[in-house]
Amino acid sequence: MSKEWYSASELAGVQGMPTSVRGVNKMGDRGDITRQKRTKGKGWEYHLYSLPTDTQAALLIQQQPVATAKPAIKKAGIHHYDSEGLWANYESKSETAKQQAQDRLAAINAALTLIENGTAKSVAWNTAAKTAGVSKATLYRQYGKVEHYHRSDWLAALVSGYTGRTAKAECSDEAWSFFKSDYLRLEQPGAAACYDRLQRTAAEHGWAIPSLRTLERKIEKDIPPTVRVLMREGEYALMRMYPAQQRSIRDLHALQWINGDGYQHNVFVEWPNGDIVRPKTWFWQDIYSRKILSYRTDISENTDVIRLSFGDLVEQYGLSDDVTIDNTRAAANKWMTGGVANRYRFKVKKDDPLGLFPTLGIQVHWTSVLAGKGHGQAKPIERSFGVGGLGEYVDKHPAFAGAHTGANPMAKPDNYGSKVVPLDTFLKVLDQEISAWNAKEGRRTEICDGVQSFNQAFNDSYEKATIRKATAEQRRLWLLTAEAVNVKADATVTLDAGKASGIGKNRYGSDALYEFVGKKVVVRFDPQALHDNVHLYTLDSRYIGEAQCITTTGFGDTTAAREHTRQRTAMIKATKIAAKAEDKMDAIEIAGMVPTMPVEHPPQAGSVRLFNPVTHQRKAPQKRALTAAEQAIAEELASIPLADVQQLPEQPRQRFHRWLEIDAAIAAGVEVAENDLTWHQRYQGTPEYAAERMVHEEFGLSIAQ
């Protein structure tokens, strides 16, 4: 039941009434409207149906309740219709459409109330329409639309789009299967073309088909969106519909986990050799802070640029614990990731050298490959390449105006190809913009929180974290390319690295390679200095030594021939002297195995200090005067240009105890000199070591015994 009595304050300002309380009361004083004393409080209250018609309409519209759902109890309607479908359609509409239906219902109810209270129909509809801001014809048409429904369903019926339970258009099962199979293909054919083929086929087979729009609605209704995407766009598109996983990095610290990826710039750059090529830069980024730590630019994404940029990172900041990279041919090359168990890009061989990452104790994590495509969301660096990323800062820099190529062939600027940027200019701008990128404040990442820059977030954590630093010896691992080669019978190795530059193959020789003849060793070298010495390692990354480049000479070069002969003769003489010394050593060794007195066990030491080959120096043994023949041999040996000749102890027992001390130092993790490591490895393959080892295990003899 509608409200009938209103106070002056409630009527003031309503359509058709004065704007003030005093003005309303004056109308009552004149008898223009019916009034009575208020039942509660002081003053007058005025009857609804004595007010002007437009005022009645406005008040009646205000009284309409706001309906948001189907009433719980309904009376039987005067027309057979689908009430459930009516309200389901209402619930599916937007809030704007629902509000529009409520406004229409309020105006219709106001007009009907006026009519029920004696107002002429024409006046009632005209007044209600004017108050609602629509025309009389529009409001009356809306009433005609709902009058055959039950009044409790008028709100749902006033929402546009409901057609009720209409008869379904006839469609043969064969026609539906034909259209569905044609439309749901990875080629993504248009619905109109599929329908045209259906019409021609249906005419031949006598199928009944509905309209194109009916078939499209049937596709939308019967085929779930995920199935439509899978069948028309593929598995990768379906995968992207699944909500992305959100991972927190607050339990990390700066430099703990890095990730890297390559980005091809959309800029024409002229290289020193005259080629005009779009450069590609490999970036290493800290996952915790999102700071770009290092980068290198080259014509393509290759092993060298990845290795050198990683070396820049380690030298400036230190070693990380984990790294995430793509499983591409360049990033997953064996020199960086060799020995990683789940390295699927290449065939894993037993004699592959240990890669840089596992050698330095860095755990490698591969990005996922889903439906044959890389999952870029796994690497935060990918977001730096997206909209508003480095392409905006670097590729579209004012210095590159005219050299910008556009992101794709369809996005070429009008000044495409009008300018080429020299490499030096490009690298200068790249350095400048990367610095600005890291220093920009207000980054909206989990750590920066809309306040800090990448630099600030990195520095705050880096200063508190424990960072691993690389040794000077480890520097060779990332500054030099590695290649596993066979050692030939003449203790030389051959590299093919010089073939690309026209130099040809390069040979390198070292006396240390005689022990590895017929085996593979790892050679680390600088690709830009192939005639310098190279470094030799075993396949498990133990250092062997250096090897010198053996240059090729002319066929008639007699000077080079004489030098080669001299070096060969010196090597043979030195070997003979060493063999003669070995004979003496064997005799001493046999004599030393026979005990001449009871074994005396030394007392236990109060404390033990680990052996340090750098600080622990033995005194040179006393030497007797040399004979004239021995002096001549010594002078001849001194003239032989052999580098870094190691002075060894004279007695087998002393050499074996030296080996034990170095072995204990290695086991304890004490830093050992490179020459001691090399001798330690070579000595344990000699007959003297085997004999001394047997004596030591049987009798535990000391040096004096």
Side-chain angles (χ1 to χ4, degrees), residues 406-652:
N408 56 72
M410 303 302 295
K412 294 181 180 179
D414 289 345
N415 60 354
Y416 177 85
S418 61
K419 180 181 177 182
V420 176
V421 178
L423 179 60
D424 292 343
T425 302
F426 176 82
L427 295 178
K428 181 179 179 181
V429 172
L430 179 64
D431 292 341
Q432 169 188 323
E433 293 305 312
I434 294 300
S435 297
W437 174 267
N438 286 332
K440 181 182 177 182
E441 297 182 354
R443 294 292 189 177
R444 294 190 296 271
T445 64
E446 183 179 2
I447 300 302
C448 295
D449 198 23
V451 178
Q452 291 184 312
S453 66
F454 295 153
N455 278 338
Q456 293 170 339
F458 180 84
N459 294 340
D460 289 350
S461 176
Y462 186 82
E463 292 171 355
K464 303 173 185 177
T466 301
I467 305 298
R468 293 190 300 144
K469 292 290 186 177
T471 64
E473 290 77 12
Q474 289 173 323
R475 188 174 183 272
R476 290 193 296 265
L477 298 179
W478 63 75
L479 286 183
L480 301 173
T481 303
E483 186 172 331
V485 295
N486 284 314
V487 179
K488 297 182 179 180
D490 57 354
T492 63
V493 293
T494 302
L495 300 180
D496 295 334
K499 296 173 69 175
S501 59
I503 300 175
K505 296 184 178 181
N506 294 274
R507 293 172 62 230
Y508 303 86
S510 170
D511 291 343
L513 289 176
Y514 280 109
E515 296 183 20
F516 299 92
V517 170
K519 301 178 182 179
K520 277 192 174 183
V521 296
V522 175
V523 182
R524 295 188 178 274
F525 60 94
D526 188 340
Q528 298 180 351
L530 294 174
H531 288 113
D532 292 348
N533 291 356
V534 298
H535 297 271
L536 308 172
Y537 292 81
T538 60
L539 292 179
D540 57 354
S541 296
R542 289 184 292 172
Y543 187 63
I544 299 174
E546 291 187 2
Q548 294 180 345
C549 180
I550 303 174
T551 57
T552 303
T553 59
F555 186 79
D557 191 340
T558 57
T559 302
R562 283 194 298 270
E563 179 63 20
H564 182 268
T565 301
R566 189 189 69 81
Q567 293 182 1
R568 182 183 59 195
T569 303
M571 185 272 291
I572 294 174
K573 287 184 178 181
T575 305
K576 288 181 178 180
I577 295 173
K580 187 176 181 180
E582 284 294 334
D583 289 339
K584 295 179 180 179
M585 292 176 186
D586 289 343
I588 297 174
E589 173 189 342
I590 295 173
M593 292 176 62
V594 180
T596 58
M597 57 183 300
V599 178
E600 181 178 347
H601 298 285
Q604 295 291 332
S607 61
V608 178
R609 178 171 60 88
L610 292 177
F611 170 78
N612 189 333
V614 178
T615 59
H616 187 82
Q617 301 290 340
R618 291 191 178 89
K619 293 183 179 180
Q622 295 293 329
K623 297 183 180 179
R624 61 179 176 80
L626 299 178
T627 65
E630 291 173 337
Q631 183 66 33
I633 294 174
E635 291 175 356
E636 183 177 2
L637 285 175
S639 65
I640 299 175
L642 297 177
D644 300 330
V645 177
Q646 176 66 39
Q647 180 68 34
L648 301 177
E650 292 183 350
Q651 296 184 11

Side-chain angles (χ1 to χ4, degrees), residues 8-14 17-27:
S9 60
E10 292 175 325
L11 295 175
V14 178
M17 296 296 291
T19 58
S20 64
V21 173
R22 183 176 180 182
V24 174
N25 289 329
K26 282 185 177 181
M27 290 182 64

Side-chain angles (χ1 to χ4, degrees), residues 40-310:
K40 293 182 180 180
K42 298 180 180 180
W44 301 93
E45 56 184 9
Y46 302 90
H47 196 271
L48 171 65
Y49 299 116
S50 68
L51 301 173
T53 304
D54 53 350
T55 305
Q56 294 182 43
L59 292 174
L60 289 171
I61 291 175
Q62 291 179 3
Q63 291 182 21
Q64 298 302 313
V66 178
T68 58
K70 176 185 173 182
I73 302 176
K74 289 175 69 279
K75 297 179 180 179
I78 59 174
H79 183 75
H80 293 289
Y81 60 92
D82 180 14
S83 179
E84 296 290 339
L86 199 67
W87 283 97
N89 176 68
Y90 174 83
E91 291 296 332
S92 67
K93 297 301 179 180
S94 66
E95 197 61 37
T96 301
K98 292 178 180 178
Q99 184 61 50
Q100 186 181 34
Q102 292 173 8
D103 294 341
R104 291 171 180 172
L105 178 61
I108 292 173
N109 286 335
L112 295 177
T113 303
L114 291 175
I115 294 172
E116 291 172 359
N117 287 280
T119 304
K121 288 184 179 182
S122 177
V123 175
W125 286 110
N126 188 58
T127 303
K130 182 179 179 182
T131 304
V134 297
S135 67
K136 173 185 174 183
T138 299
L139 186 61
Y140 197 75
R141 186 170 60 251
Q142 294 294 331
Y143 172 67
K145 177 181 176 181
V146 300
E147 63 178 339
H148 60 282
Y149 293 106
H150 192 280
R151 194 159 184 168
S152 61
D153 290 330
W154 280 7
L155 177 62
L158 284 169
V159 175
S160 60
Y162 178 70
T163 57
R165 287 182 177 175
T166 58
K168 295 183 178 180
E170 186 179 359
C171 179
S172 300
D173 292 340
E174 296 85 352
W176 168 240
S177 297
F178 181 93
F179 181 81
K180 181 173 60 173
S181 300
D182 191 13
Y183 181 74
L184 298 176
R185 290 187 289 120
L186 291 175
E187 291 77 13
Q188 302 183 28
C194 294
Y195 188 72
D196 182 66
R197 284 189 287 271
L198 175 63
Q199 285 179 313
R200 298 197 304 266
T201 307
E204 181 177 350
H205 294 278
W207 297 339
I209 61 172
S211 66
L212 171 61
R213 182 59 190 142
T214 299
L215 289 174
E216 288 179 326
R217 285 196 297 267
K218 187 173 177 59
I219 286 284
E220 294 172 358
K221 179 181 178 181
D222 295 352
I223 309 299
T226 52
V227 176
R228 296 201 301 267
V229 169
L230 175 63
M231 298 183 72
R232 282 181 62 85
E233 302 179 39
E235 184 179 350
Y236 187 74
L238 175 64
M239 178 271 296
R240 294 183 66 85
M241 294 180 66
Y242 194 80
Q245 182 184 23
Q246 293 184 342
R247 295 172 292 180
S248 175
I249 44 88
R250 290 196 177 275
D251 57 342
L252 302 179
H253 62 73
L255 201 64
Q256 179 178 345
W257 201 319
I258 62 174
N259 71 129
D261 200 4
Y263 173 74
Q264 187 162 29
H265 298 275
N266 300 312
V267 180
F268 282 135
V269 173
E270 182 177 7
W271 296 79
N273 61 358
D275 291 343
I276 298 176
V277 181
R278 293 162 56 199
K280 192 159 190 177
T281 302
W282 180 273
F283 294 93
W284 289 108
Q285 180 198 49
D286 174 48
I287 288 183
Y288 174 82
S289 65
R290 300 297 197 265
K291 177 180 179 177
I292 294 178
L293 301 175
S294 65
Y295 52 92
R296 285 286 184 109
T297 302
D298 207 339
I299 292 179
S300 64
E301 183 178 299
N302 54 68
T303 302
D304 287 342
V305 74
I306 297 174
R307 172 178 49 81
L308 293 173
S309 60
F310 180 76

